[in-house]
Each structure stands twice: as structure tokens, then as C-alpha cells.
Amino acid sequence: MSSTAGPAPVADRTDLAHWVIRVASAVYVIGLVLLGAAVYVDLPGFLAAYGDPEAWWPILVQVLAGGTAFITWMRVNRRSNRPFAVVLLGLGILTVVALAIPSYSACPDAHLSAGWSVITRVVGLVTNNYAIDQFNPATTTCEIGGVPLALQFARLAQLLVLLVAFTSAVTALLRTQVDRVRVRWSPRLSVVLGADTTSAPLLPALAADAGRYTLAVLTNDPLAPWVGQARAAGWRVVVTDPRRVETMVRLLGRPGRRHALRRLAVLAPDSTESQRLMSVVQTAIDGRRTVTGNHPVRALLRMDEAWQAEDWRRRYLSRIPDWIVDTISENEVTARLLVDHMVERAVDQVLLVGQSDLTFAVVAELAQRGREHELDPGRPAMAGVTIVGRSADHVLEEHVLSQRRFGNSRLDRVRAETGLGLDEVVAAAVDEHVAPAVVFSGDVTVADQRLAARLGASHPGLLVYSRHTEVIGLGADPLLAQVRAFGSTLDAGKGRPVDSWERIARLVHENFVREYPDPQDPARRPWNELAPFYRESNVRQVLTVLGSAVAVGRSWGASGRTASTPSPEQLDEMARREHESWLAHHQHSGWTWGETRDRAARKHPDLLPWDELSDASRQKTRKGVLETVALLETLGYRSFDDPYATWVRFRRRGEVTAVRRNEPWTWTTSDGSVMHGNAGDWQVTDDDGSSRSITASIFEKTHEPVDGNRWRRTGEIRGRQARPGEVVHSLEGDQTARPGQWVLRGVEGEEWLVPKEHLETSYDRIDADPSAAVADRP
């Protein structure tokens, strides 16, 4: 597992490409000089061909040298935003001018101003007027015997300029169609859905991390203000409706039950819309493999509400290895930027003023830093947190509930202050702490901005963060003293979005290196020095353990239950899955079996199926799984046996009355939750009079006509017992589970809650003893 495990290093190939560019460019420029000089002087030896109007090889050398330099430069910069056509046009025009001036200057028009004659001829050549009559010895006194080779090559360059200009104009006019064709036939796609002006700053970061993928943004509004920004970042814009399954199948599907999707970013600001778009994509590629083999789809979903973001991260752990899903939130990203800045300045006490989603995100990020410190004492300890204001107790209560919901502890560093005013709390913090900070994390108000400025002026050593709507991210310079302006952002400013799973993998790796140091082992280098092969393997290991725990009936979800150790049977299955993942990762990178480990030759004695491994190797894998589970617990991911994690199959039965609605409407569930139906959805009514909405694409797959407005329910679904209090993000809105309810998952991955009574009357359980009651624990 050395750095030689992959192909030749990218840096070496890039250095070779730059060398080719320099050599080819030098040959091209020297050729231009020789062509221009040969108009006036006879060059010695074989160089005399540069002054021979009938010579062919000097022009061939110029074409090859110029083409090699430009094509190699394009190749090196293919993922940048450079205007290749404009550069080629500029180089072509410079070549025409550089060769046309000496050529026409040698034989100016008779009886005309020599200077203006040359300028006129040069401009004419640039605009496709190739004048060579003055070089005809039969009609002029010009001593040059024929059209100079320099002018002939200038003519060739001028034709290239016209061709590039024409194709660029056509491409601009047909850009949308060209983008659609390129996306439709690409074998590897990185797709963005739901982009808007707030998420547009994230597009360059997503493009920079895309590698060899074709970048595609799907939108139904080609005139959206962010479209130009997307194109400038290298994204192809496809105008279509991404909420239609048929559309996504055409764009993502490939022959042979395959698909081209490798990366997905769903950036809709509304979480319900994000879920809808995610469901559509899942349905479009369901049952298909990636074009280049079995690769997971890496997905990034925007969830601006902090509780939802963490919940969604964990709920998709059951989809590993087919899907690897992370979430991104304006509040989480902004909180990380603020905490990073405070850590750089060794802040030891944080005062939070105001109540908003950002307030919860900042406290949650500080709590996570505290857990990371427990794992790595070398990291900064969690600063103390005081929430100030009349609603401070409520904010603290919500934070405690959120942390305990995911089994997180160590809440003693956060307290609420409702009795004292902000000035008194600040004065005490300045006296008692070395580096205190105040964060105005509530909604933006002019009063808070003025108060932040006053505190900064009154306490020059106090770090103050003042929230402004016109600022994106953290301001570069203080407004006054140490008062910093900041605003919400999705761009962490680190080249690409913060990957939650990579963040965990880095901590796990650093802990392993501390316990088992070996500076000579390339797999145990500091994270920033690790080869990509090893970074990917660390992330793979964390995700495999998370996914395999779910696969054996355990959960990482919302619960205050105490973590439990996997049973021997569970551990054995988790270890087997980890080994299979490790084996596939190495084999994909060219490793093969060998009696001894040889990093240079990419040989390893454990590259065998699980059943053929030695007892010692299997035990080592089991130990690694347990160590990873323990580290994940420290970081707030508790694993426990979960009877609610097992899904069972049901078949729909019965008939309903259904009418397609042309306008949005609302309806109420049995527990009183108000849900929302969209125009084009079907309103479905049971015989008992209860109604609900179903999207058109789902309705068509799950119902067949009977007579008039009567429809028969068909098809299969999956279901599990709902955990009381869990939030289910249905397409129509969020639902909170009550005791006895079930979570059902439909044909497009959509989920919703139903009471046990509805389940008994509308569904048949098909993967258990027919006599078993649906209320029995699966």
C-alpha cells in the first residue's frame, strides 16, 4: 500500500505536459521568426526553405508545433474555466499580423503610401481578403519571386481564425443542445439539482472536486441569474424538468441496465423539495449499475435545518454501499467557519446572543469539537458556551435534546444566562477569561449590529461576530477593533464542501497513527501527506462499518439508548463486509495476492475471500471493526440493536377513489399534521373518507383503473415500525411518529407514516408467516 499503488503520479504527468508545451511553443515562435526574416534575407542551408514559396515542410513544422503546444495546454487546463476559443483566436490573429506585416512591407502597393498600404492589406487579410497581386512578377516590379511562405502560412492561420469564430458562434447559439448531447452520452456524470442564487457559490467548489466527470446542472429556468456563474465554473446546463422520472432516466440511464451517475448534489433550499428530487433520481437509476462497474453514488443534500441534516446523514447509512450520502447546510457551514476562526484565536469562552437555527448549529459544532478533543487531546478543547437572553433556557433545552437524541454526552460546558444583561455577562467574561468572544447568531437586526459595534469599541480585546445579510461568509477585515461581520454561506472556502465522513475518517486515522506509529509506513503518514489511495481507504472503512452495522440490525439513529457491543454473529458479518470492501478497494487499484506483503509490487497475503483467510487475519479484521465502532461512539455515533431498523415487505390491496388536482391543496393526517399536495398530484380517498396526496409518477406505478374514478391499489412496498418521536420527511411535509405507527417506503424511495389500523386494512405482509399479525415485532 505504497504510493506506487496507483498509476504514475499526476504531478509527473503534469510536469511532462508543461515541458512539451514549452518546447513546442519555442519551436513555433522560432519558426515565425524564420518565416518573417526569410522575406528579406536568404537563410543558410536547410533554413533557406523558409524563404522558398514552394517549400512545404516549414509550414508542416509550424502546424505540428503550434497544434501540439495548444492541445497539450488545453489538456492540462481542461478542468479550468479558461476561454480556449478566445485564446486560440488571439493567437491566430497575432500570427497573421506578425507574418503579414513583413510580407506586405517587402512589396507595398505602387503609387500609395507605403505605411497605409501595408496596414490596409494586413487588416484585409484578417477580415478574409487575401491580396497577393503585388507579388506577381509579371505585373509588378517586386523582386520577391512569388508569394512569401510567411504570407502563405498567415493565410492558413487566418482561415483557422474564421473557422474557430464560426464554430464558436454556432456553439453559443446551440449551447443548450450541445450540453444536452454531451451529458446524454457521457459515461461519468456529476449532476447538480435544485441550484439557486444562494447555492451558486458552491458550484466552483463542486467542479474543482469533480475529477474526470462531465459536469451537469439541471434546471427548468435557463434565464436564472446563476446560470452564467455555473457555465463560468465549467458546468454544462441542461434545461429540463428534474422532477420527472422519465427525464432523469433519459439523461442518466445507459444501455445494458446501466447508469452514468457518479456524483449528485441536491441543493434545493427547501428540504421537502430536496427529498422529492432525491427520490426521483433514486427511481431513475434503481436496478442499474454504473457504466464503469459497481461504484457508489456520492450524494450531497442541502438541509439547512441542523436537526434534519444530521438525521438525514444517519438515515442513508442503510443505503451503503450503493449510496454514500452527506448533507450540507448554510447554518452548519457558517458555524464551522466561525468556530474555525475562534479556534485560530484560541477563544476560551463563547457568548451566544439570539435564537435561530444558526445558534443551534454553533453550539452543536462546538460540542463536536469537544468530542474530537476527547479522541485527540492534541486538538483544542471545547470552549465554554454561555447562551445569553430571555430565550436562553429554551435554546439550551433544544440543544440538550438534540445531542441526547443522538446519544451524545458532555453537555456540562454549555449553560444559559437569563438573569443578567448582556453588558454584565460580557464584562464578567472579559475579566475571567483570556480570549472571550461574542457571536450575534440571531436573526439580523440593526439593533444587534449597533450593539456589536458598541461592545467592540468598549472592549478592544473582545472578539465580536456581527451578523449581516449583505455579507457572505466571514469578512476579511474587522469593521472596527475586533468586530467581524459575517453572513450565511454554503461555501466553506476550502476548495470543496466539507465532507462529514472524511472528517470522521481523518480523526480515526490520526488516532490509529498515534497508537501504532510507523513513520516508514506510507499508510501511517499524517492525513495531509497521505496518498489518495489511503485517504479513500480510510473513508471507505468508516462508511463500511456504519453501513454494515445497519445491515445486521443495528442503528446509528436518534436514540438516547446506551451503546451496545455487537454480538459475535453481528461482529462476524460486519467483519466479513469490511474485508470484502477492503479487498475490492485494493483489487480496483491493481493489488493482487502474494505470500508476503510487497507495497512496491502491490502484493498482499490477505487478498483472498473471507472464508479463505487465516484465523489470525479474520480476528485482526474483527478487532479493527470493534475499534472503529468505539471511536465512532466517542464522536457521537452510538450503535445499538434496533428492532425498528428491520424492513419487511407488504403488498397493497383494496380500491380507492382518485382525482387528479390541477391546483395545490392541503390535507390533514389522522394525527393532525397538515400536509401539502402540489398541482398535478392525485387526491386519493379511502372508503372511510380519509384523503391524501400522491405524486403523478408514483400513482401511475401503484394503481390500475377499475371504473371511472375508482382505482385498484397494486405493487409492493417496504415498511418498519416507527420509532416514537422520530421525524419522517414525507414528500408532503414532515411527520412525527407516534407509538404504534409504521414507516412505509414506496417505489421511488419516498417515506410516510401510517397508523397500525390502516396498515392492517390496506396491506398484506408477504415475507413472514401469513398468520403473523402486523403488530408483531419484525
Side-chain angles (χ1 to χ4, degrees):
M1 297 188 296
S2 66
S3 58
T4 61
V10 175
D12 293 345
R13 295 197 299 269
T14 302
D15 290 342
L16 176 61
H18 288 156
W19 181 85
V20 170
I21 293 170
R22 286 192 291 268
V23 172
S25 299
V27 172
Y28 184 80
V29 172
I30 292 172
L32 292 181
V33 173
L34 292 174
L35 285 170
V39 176
Y40 295 97
V41 299
D42 294 330
L43 300 178
F46 71 94
L47 297 179
Y50 282 86
D52 182 359
E54 297 182 1
W56 58 272
W57 67 262
I59 291 182
L60 178 61
V61 169
Q62 289 300 105
V63 172
L64 292 177
T68 300
F70 186 77
I71 292 173
T72 306
W73 178 75
M74 283 184 61
R75 177 76 178 171
V76 170
N77 295 281
R78 63 188 181 280
R79 288 298 174 190
S80 68
N81 302 324
R82 300 183 185 276
F84 298 114
V86 174
V87 172
L88 186 57
L89 282 172
L91 293 175
I93 292 174
L94 285 175
T95 297
V96 171
V97 172
L99 296 180
I101 289 177
S103 299
Y104 285 125
S105 297
C107 290
D109 291 313
H111 311 300
L112 294 176
S113 167
W116 286 111
S117 170
V118 172
I119 293 175
T120 302
R121 294 293 190 180
V122 171
V123 174
L125 178 59
V126 172
T127 56
N128 199 30
N129 182 13
Y130 184 45
I132 58 174
D133 50 297
Q134 65 267 51
F135 299 105
N136 186 350
T139 59
T140 67
T141 60
C142 183
E143 297 180 356
I144 297 179
V147 181
L149 200 62
L151 191 59
Q152 295 180 46
F153 184 68
R155 170 61 170 169
L156 182 62
Q158 186 268 340
L159 292 176
L160 176 64
V161 168
L162 290 180
L163 178 62
V164 172
F166 174 76
T167 55
S168 297
V170 171
T171 301
L173 292 173
L174 303 177
R175 171 172 286 181
T176 300
Q177 289 75 9
V178 171
D179 285 350
R180 179 181 289 273
V181 171
R182 288 290 299 272
V183 170
R184 177 65 185 83
W185 293 104
S186 172
R188 293 178 297 272
L189 290 174
S190 177
V191 175
V192 169
L193 306 176
D196 64 356
T197 52
T198 61
S199 59
L202 196 60
L203 295 177
L206 292 172
D209 196 40
R212 297 187 301 271
Y213 309 136
T214 298
L215 309 176
V217 176
L218 277 54
T219 179
N220 55 11
D221 183 8
L223 302 179
W226 54 266
V227 168
Q229 187 175 351
R231 291 192 187 280
W235 292 87
R236 297 186 179 277
V237 179
V238 178
V239 180
T240 188
D241 184 1
R243 287 187 283 185
R244 293 181 57 85
V245 175
E246 299 79 5
T247 298
M248 300 306 293
V249 170
R250 286 195 297 269
L251 288 174
L252 303 180
R254 297 295 182 266
R257 297 296 296 170
R258 296 178 180 271
H259 71 85
L261 184 63
R262 296 290 293 276
R263 294 213 170 186
L264 173 69
V266 182
L267 304 179
D270 178 70
S271 60
T272 302
E273 179 67 7
S274 291
Q275 182 183 9
R276 184 188 297 269
L277 293 172
M278 186 72 176
S279 297
V280 170
V281 174
Q282 288 178 317
T283 303
I285 67 174
D286 185 41
R288 297 174 181 265
R289 300 173 56 194
T290 54
V291 173
T292 53
N294 283 324
H295 295 284
V297 177
R298 296 293 299 262
L300 181 68
L301 275 68
R302 177 177 177 180
M303 292 283 160
D304 285 340
E305 204 280 323
W307 279 40
Q308 280 191 4
E310 184 60 31
D311 188 60
W312 270 67
R313 272 190 207 106
R314 298 178 186 235
R315 75 188 334 227
Y316 269 94
L317 293 176
S318 62
R319 308 293 178 89
I320 297 172
D322 297 325
W323 288 85
I324 297 175
V325 177
D326 194 9
T327 58
I328 190 170
S329 155
E330 267 195 334
N331 296 311
E332 284 188 339
V333 172
T334 306
R336 286 173 186 168
L337 287 176
L338 291 172
V339 174
D340 282 344
H341 193 262
M342 286 187 275
V343 168
E344 291 174 359
R345 282 149 183 79
V347 169
D348 57 355
Q349 181 67 24
V350 179
L351 309 180
L352 288 176
V353 183
Q355 177 182 353
S356 70
D357 287 340
L358 178 61
T359 307
F360 297 113
V362 172
V363 181
E365 179 64 22
L366 288 166
Q368 181 63 21
R369 300 296 175 100
R371 289 188 288 273
E372 293 175 1
H373 172 72
E374 290 183 39
L375 184 62
D376 179 7
R379 289 175 172 265
M382 175 184 174
V385 181
T386 301
I387 306 168
V388 185
R390 288 177 297 177
S391 60
D393 286 333
H394 174 69
V395 175
L396 179 59
E397 180 183 349
E398 290 286 306
H399 169 67
V400 172
L401 178 60
S402 172
Q403 294 295 304
R404 287 179 176 165
R405 184 167 176 259
F406 293 113
N408 298 333
S409 57
R410 296 300 306 271
L411 304 173
D412 54 299
R413 298 283 291 168
V414 184
R415 70 180 189 89
E417 177 57 70
T418 57
L420 299 177
L422 179 59
D423 286 325
E424 295 175 277
V425 176
V426 169
V430 170
D431 290 338
E432 299 171 5
H433 298 278
V434 177
V438 178
V439 181
F440 286 85
S441 57
D443 295 330
V444 178
T445 65
V446 175
D448 279 351
Q449 292 171 356
R450 289 174 178 170
L451 181 56
R454 181 173 63 77
L455 288 175
S458 303
H459 305 279
L462 179 67
L463 189 58
V464 181
Y465 297 93
S466 176
R467 195 173 186 181
H468 291 249
T469 55
E470 70 275 10
V471 177
I472 299 176
L474 188 61
D477 299 310
L479 298 177
L480 67 104
Q482 293 195 62
V483 179
R484 296 266 181 170
F486 77 94
S488 298
T489 182
L490 282 170
D491 185 5
K494 296 183 178 180
R496 62 187 178 92
V498 176
D499 189 316
S500 299
W501 307 127
E502 183 175 317
R503 180 179 181 179
I504 293 174
R506 176 172 185 165
L507 291 165
V508 172
H509 169 76
E510 291 173 346
N511 182 78
F512 176 78
V513 171
R514 283 193 305 274
E515 293 190 5
Y516 307 98
D518 184 358
Q520 303 305 316
D521 188 346
R524 304 186 198 188
R525 304 292 300 162
W527 184 264
N528 291 333
E529 300 176 17
L530 274 183
F533 173 78
Y534 297 118
R535 286 196 187 190
E536 292 167 5
S537 186
N538 278 284
V539 176
R540 173 208 59 76
Q541 181 184 18
V542 168
L543 290 169
T544 301
V545 170
L546 289 165
S548 63
V550 175
V552 299
R554 300 177 66 80
S555 175
W556 306 92
S559 174
R561 296 179 55 186
T562 302
S564 61
T565 303
S567 68
E569 295 77 15
Q570 290 175 331
L571 178 59
D572 202 61
E573 177 62 17
M574 292 173 67
R576 183 186 65 79
R577 289 171 177 261
E578 159 56 22
H579 175 73
E580 290 176 348
S581 173
W582 176 87
L583 179 66
H585 179 69
H586 279 70
Q587 289 177 335
H588 179 71
S589 298
W591 285 68
T592 56
W593 180 86
E595 291 186 2
T596 59
R597 185 168 63 179
D598 186 339
R599 298 186 186 280
R602 287 180 284 185
K603 300 286 186 181
H604 200 291
D606 287 344
L607 287 171
L608 295 168
W610 174 255
D611 294 334
E612 298 179 22
L613 283 178
S614 66
D615 290 340
S617 294
R618 285 199 291 264
Q619 186 58 31
K620 181 179 68 175
T621 305
R622 295 187 187 99
K623 179 183 177 183
V625 169
L626 285 176
E627 289 177 345
T628 302
V629 169
L631 291 172
L632 287 169
E633 180 180 350
T634 303
L635 293 173
Y637 282 77
R638 290 187 174 186
S639 170
F640 51 88
D641 283 317
D642 187 4
Y644 301 103
T646 303
W647 293 83
V648 295
R649 294 163 58 215
F650 293 94
R651 181 181 294 112
R652 292 181 175 87
R653 60 181 165 89
E655 295 183 2
V656 295
T657 301
V659 178
R660 194 165 188 178
R661 299 286 295 264
N662 295 321
E663 70 286 335
W665 85 101
T666 60
W667 52 280
T668 304
T669 65
S670 58
D671 62 3
S673 299
V674 177
M675 315 302 286
H676 300 274
N678 296 317
D681 289 352
W682 286 77
Q683 181 178 2
V684 177
T685 305
D686 294 324
D687 292 338
D688 62 3
S690 59
S691 295
R692 59 190 177 277
S693 64
I694 302 179
T695 61
S697 62
I698 296 174
F699 183 85
E700 294 165 1
K701 296 176 182 178
T702 57
H703 295 77
E704 58 185 22
V706 176
D707 182 34
N709 291 334
R710 296 293 291 175
W711 295 76
R712 182 176 295 108
R713 304 170 73 245
T714 62
E716 296 181 5
I717 63 167
R718 300 177 67 206
R720 64 170 175 83
Q721 287 183 318
R723 184 179 299 105
E726 73 170 297
V727 178
V728 175
H729 309 291
S730 74
L731 295 179
E732 294 78 20
D734 290 346
Q735 297 175 277
T736 301
R738 296 186 303 174
Q741 287 188 313
W742 281 65
V743 180
L744 301 185
R745 179 180 293 166
V747 294
E748 294 188 358
E750 74 283 3
E751 295 181 354
W752 69 99
L753 289 171
V754 298
K756 182 185 70 173
E757 296 76 14
H758 178 77
L759 189 71
E760 292 174 333
T761 58
S762 302
Y763 298 88
D764 291 322
R765 185 165 173 170
I766 60 177
D767 65 340
D769 189 323
S771 62
V774 296
D776 292 342
R777 179 169 293 181

